[in-house]
Amino acid sequence: MRSLKNIILRSFAILLIIGTSSCTNFFIKERPADVRPTPKVPNIRYEISSISIATEDIPASFLFNLKRYLFAELSKRKLLGRKEDNPHQIRILIGYYRVVKDADANHVVSVVDVTDPGAEEILDESEINTSVQKARNIEDVAKLHARDIVKFLAGEKKKK
């Protein structure tokens, strides 16, 4: 009789241990993870302040398409600011332009400055160099150059 009682007590103890081990809150309290509030990075918005040229041989259609594609890319990435957003100002100076239809090497080089809207202090600047092999037309080059500029503004392209 005593051995049956010992078997029942041992079985009950084993079941109790197995049952409570699946319930982690019973014996062991997990410490909550170190939850620190992550600082919110402000959403920087941009506004195209100016596009100017340092060379005379740039067609007006290139400037028009560059501005159009810049607006489109900034809007698509939700980086285009309104006046009430107090956006950073973008100033673009196109310093080198060589685009020939079906040429092996087409280049556009611009200097992009980002300024604080209030102080006109230069916050960031970079030289954006876009090379296009066998461009079909000026519009293709403008589109790719606008993408390179927006990649810089979004932090995806390293400064030069």
Side-chain angles (χ1 to χ4, degrees):
M1 187 78 157
R2 191 161 233 218
S3 66
L4 182 61
K5 190 176 181 181
N6 283 341
I7 292 173
I8 292 174
L9 284 175
R10 284 184 188 163
S11 298
F12 180 71
I14 290 172
L15 288 174
L16 183 64
I17 291 172
I18 291 173
T20 57
S21 66
S22 65
C23 180
T24 58
N25 292 351
F26 191 72
F27 286 113
I28 301 171
K29 291 278 189 187
E30 287 185 30
R31 283 197 273 157
D34 187 18
V35 180
R36 295 180 187 159
T38 56
K40 289 188 176 183
V41 177
N43 290 334
I44 298 174
R45 306 276 186 210
Y46 298 98
E47 176 182 57
I48 301 167
S49 174
S50 67
I51 299 176
S52 53
I53 57 174
T55 182
E56 296 297 321
D57 59 345
I58 299 174
S61 61
F62 177 80
L63 296 173
F64 173 78
N65 284 314
L66 178 63
K67 192 168 189 175
R68 182 172 67 113
Y69 284 118
L70 278 170
F71 275 109
E73 285 291 316
L74 288 169
S75 290
K76 184 171 80 173
R77 291 172 172 249
K78 297 183 182 358
L79 294 173
L80 188 63
R82 299 172 301 198
K83 290 289 183 194
E84 55 268 12
D85 295 333
N86 205 17
H88 286 71
Q89 302 296 308
I90 305 167
R91 295 185 303 197
I92 301 167
L93 173 65
I94 302 170
Y96 180 78
Y97 173 88
R98 183 184 180 283
V99 177
V100 179
K101 185 178 177 181
D102 294 326
D104 285 337
N106 296 295
H107 295 312
V108 178
V109 180
S110 296
V111 175
V112 178
D113 290 340
V114 178
T115 60
D116 187 16
E120 288 294 320
E121 176 185 345
I122 294 178
L123 301 173
D124 206 356
E125 66 180 351
S126 182
E127 180 181 291
I128 307 298
N129 186 350
T130 302
S131 295
V132 181
Q133 302 294 322
K134 304 234 181 212
R136 292 180 304 176
N137 54 35
I138 291 173
E139 189 174 339
D140 288 346
V141 178
K143 184 177 188 177
L144 293 173
H145 194 58
R147 282 186 185 162
D148 287 345
I149 291 171
V150 173
K151 282 180 184 178
F152 160 68
L153 295 171
E156 297 171 9
K157 194 170 191 168
K158 293 182 181 179
K159 291 192 278 186
K160 288 187 179 181

